[in-house]
Amino acid sequence: MSKTRTEINTLGEFGLIEHLNQNNTLFHEHSLTRKAIGDDAAVLQKTEQESWLVSTDLFIEGIHFDLAYAPLKNIGYKAVTINLSDIAAMNAIPSQITVSIAVSNRFSVEALEELYEGIKTACKQYQIDLIGGDTTASQAGLIISITAMGVANNDKISYRNGAKANDIICVSGDLGGAYMGLQVLIREKEVWLANPQMQPQLTDFQYIVGRQLKPEPRTDIIKELAKNNIVPTSMIDISDGLASEMMHICQQSNVGALIVGDRIPIHEKTYETALSMQINPLTAALNGGEDYELLFTIAQKDYAALENHPNITPIGYITTPEKGIYLQTPQDTTVPIQAQGWNHFQK
Ligand code: ADP
Ligand code: MG
C-alpha cells in the first residue's frame, strides 16, 4: 500500500498542531483538566477556588536562537522568560519552572554555567523556583525545554475565548522592536562573516537588540490589572506578532476586530530602524514576533481605570464575527489583517 507523503509546511505550525490532535478524546478523561490544548497554558483545577497553569516551550539552536549573536547568558534568560510570559498570558503570576537541556560536546562546562547564569538570573528576577528537569546529550546543538507553572484564582483566569463585541483591545509596551532587533543582529552577523575584522555596530540599536535578546514577561501588567480589579475578557501573549495573536483571540472568541494602525505603540528606535531598512514599521509590529507583550481585551466599563496608563495602549475594539478582522490604516482605509507570524516549517 503506498502512503502519500505530506510536507509539514503545507499545514504550518498551527495547522500541524490541530492535525495531530484532531479527534482526540484523550484530553477529557479527568474532570480536573479545565482547559487542555488551545490556550497559552493548560488549566488544571487545584481546589474549588484555584487552578494550576502549565505551559511548555522548546527553545532550539538554529531555529529560535543563533549562538553567533546571542550570548549564552541571554539564551538562558530568554528560554525562561518566554515561558513565564505564557503564564502571564492567562492573567496569572508564574511560580515554578522545570528546565531540560540536550547538549552536544561542543559545549564546555563553562559554557553551560553561563547558560545557567541566565536561567538563574531570570528565576531571581521573577521569584521563580527551579524545581527539576532533565539533562541529556544531543548530536547537534543545544535544545532547551522549559515548563512553567503558576496558580491563579479560577475566576481571574483570562482565556483566548472570552472577547465580546465592543470590548476594548489593549496591548502592553511597544511592538515590532524584537523583530527589528533581530534584523540588525542578522545584518551585523553577515557583515562579520564577510569581514571578521569588522566589529558589530550595535550601540545605536541597544533598545531593539535588547528587545530581541532579553524579553521580559509582563507580570507587572498582571499585577496592575489585579490592583485595578480588572480581569481581561481575553488575553494572549505576543510571540508570533500582533496579527497572528489577534486572529487567535477572534477565532476562539468567535468575534471580529478593528485595530487602528495609528494607535499601535511602536518605539521610535523601532520606527527609525524599520524605515532605514525599507521595512514598514507597522508590518514589523503586526507580523514581527517575539515582543512578548500582552494583547488583551477589556469590557468598556473597565477602560477608565486604564486610560492614560503609560504601559497599556488601547488599539481598537472587538466587533461581531461577520465584520472580520480589520486594520484601519493611517490613510484611513480598512484592510483585512492577515497573520503571517512565524512559520518555522517554511523553506
Ligand atoms: P504559545 O505560542 O502560546 O506557546 P503554541 O502556539 O505553541 O502556544 O501552542 C498552542 C496550543 O497548542 C497550546 O495549548 C499548546 O499546549 C498546544 N500544543 C502545541 N504543540 C503541541 C503538540 N505537539 N501536542 C499537543 N499540544 C500542542
Ligand atoms: Mg503564548
Side-chain angles (χ1 to χ4, degrees):
M1 195 178 74
S2 78
K3 270 194 121 181
T4 52
R5 178 189 158 90
T6 310
E7 298 300 331
I8 291 175
N9 65 11
T10 60
L11 297 178
E13 179 186 347
F14 304 128
L16 180 66
I17 296 170
E18 218 173 286
H19 180 75
L20 295 177
N21 292 294
Q22 67 192 349
N23 303 327
N24 208 332
T25 50
L26 285 177
F27 314 125
H28 306 289
E29 290 283 310
H30 298 276
S31 59
L32 295 184
T33 307
R34 290 170 70 101
K35 177 83 195 183
I37 296 172
D39 221 298
D40 292 288
V43 181
L44 312 177
Q45 184 151 331
K46 180 172 177 264
T47 62
E48 281 278 294
Q49 286 76 39
E50 289 182 324
S51 287
W52 279 105
L53 303 158
V54 184
S55 181
T56 196
D57 264 321
L58 277 170
F59 203 49
I60 308 231
E61 183 179 354
I63 303 284
H64 302 104
F65 60 86
D66 184 335
L67 287 163
Y69 53 67
L72 276 161
K73 191 172 169 189
N74 283 95
I75 292 167
Y77 190 89
K78 182 170 175 178
V80 175
T81 54
I82 62 175
N83 274 277
L84 303 184
S85 176
D86 273 325
I87 302 298
M90 304 302 288
N91 197 31
I93 301 292
S95 47
Q96 289 89 1
I97 55 165
T98 61
V99 176
S100 300
I101 52 172
V103 270
S104 70
N105 56 14
R106 184 158 58 82
F107 292 86
S108 64
V109 172
E110 289 73 22
L112 295 178
E113 279 171 359
E114 232 182 281
L115 177 79
Y116 260 75
E117 218 182 290
I119 291 175
K120 288 177 197 161
T121 304
C123 287
K124 193 154 173 241
Q125 174 73 25
Y126 291 97
Q127 282 129 42
I128 303 296
D129 294 347
L130 200 173
I131 58 164
D134 196 16
T135 304
T136 180
S138 136
Q139 287 200 342
L142 174 62
I143 297 171
I144 309 168
S145 165
I146 293 187
T147 300
M149 284 144 267
V151 171
N153 252 309
N154 291 329
D155 53 8
K156 298 275 157 60
I157 297 172
S158 292
Y159 295 87
R160 293 177 181 179
N161 66 7
K164 300 270 180 306
N166 301 321
D167 283 355
I168 295 171
I169 304 168
C170 300
V171 286
S172 64
D174 57 81
L175 302 180
Y179 177 76
M180 289 319 305
L182 180 63
Q183 301 317 306
V184 169
L185 288 168
I186 291 170
R187 180 178 72 186
E188 292 306 314
K189 181 186 167 185
E190 276 163 11
V191 170
W192 181 79
L193 285 174
N195 182 357
Q197 261 78 54
M198 291 281 282
Q199 285 301 307
Q201 299 293 318
L202 295 177
T203 35
D204 274 358
F205 302 102
Q206 248 170 3
Y207 177 73
I208 53 176
V209 166
R211 295 287 286 163
Q212 167 60 220
L213 293 181
K214 197 170 175 284
E216 307 290 354
R218 297 308 304 255
T219 49
D220 58 326
I221 299 289
I222 302 306
K223 289 173 189 162
E224 285 275 308
L225 290 168
K227 218 167 64 191
N228 285 289
N229 262 320
I230 295 173
V231 178
T233 50
S234 72
M235 180 143 65
I236 188 169
D237 68 330
I238 302 181
S239 53
D240 293 335
L242 175 63
S244 170
E245 316 303 359
M246 196 68 247
M247 292 192 78
H248 284 307
I249 285 187
C250 288
Q251 272 162 10
Q252 294 207 25
S253 301
N254 190 29
V255 292
L258 183 76
I259 293 181
V260 182
D262 269 347
R263 302 301 296 266
I264 297 174
I266 299 177
H267 191 276
E268 62 174 339
K269 202 70 213 177
T270 306
Y271 199 88
E272 268 172 26
T273 313
L275 290 185
S276 76
M277 294 175 98
Q278 276 97 49
I279 295 172
N280 182 341
L282 209 50
T283 308
L286 281 165
N287 293 321
E290 299 195 281
D291 289 311
Y292 293 99
E293 293 295 341
L294 295 170
L295 171 66
F296 56 96
T297 56
I298 54 170
Q300 293 217 357
K301 69 171 172 55
D302 287 332
Y303 178 60
L306 296 182
E307 206 173 9
N308 304 324
H309 191 289
N311 296 314
I312 297 174
T313 312
I315 58 165
Y317 58 90
I318 294 293
T319 58
T320 45
E322 71 281 0
K323 295 250 168 77
I325 309 171
Y326 277 83
L327 175 76
Q328 186 177 322
T329 68
Q331 295 76 37
D332 243 12
T333 54
T334 53
V335 292
I337 288 182
Q338 317 221 312
Q340 282 162 10
W342 291 110
N343 189 345
H344 299 308
F345 301 113
Q346 226 141 42
K347 280 183 198 150

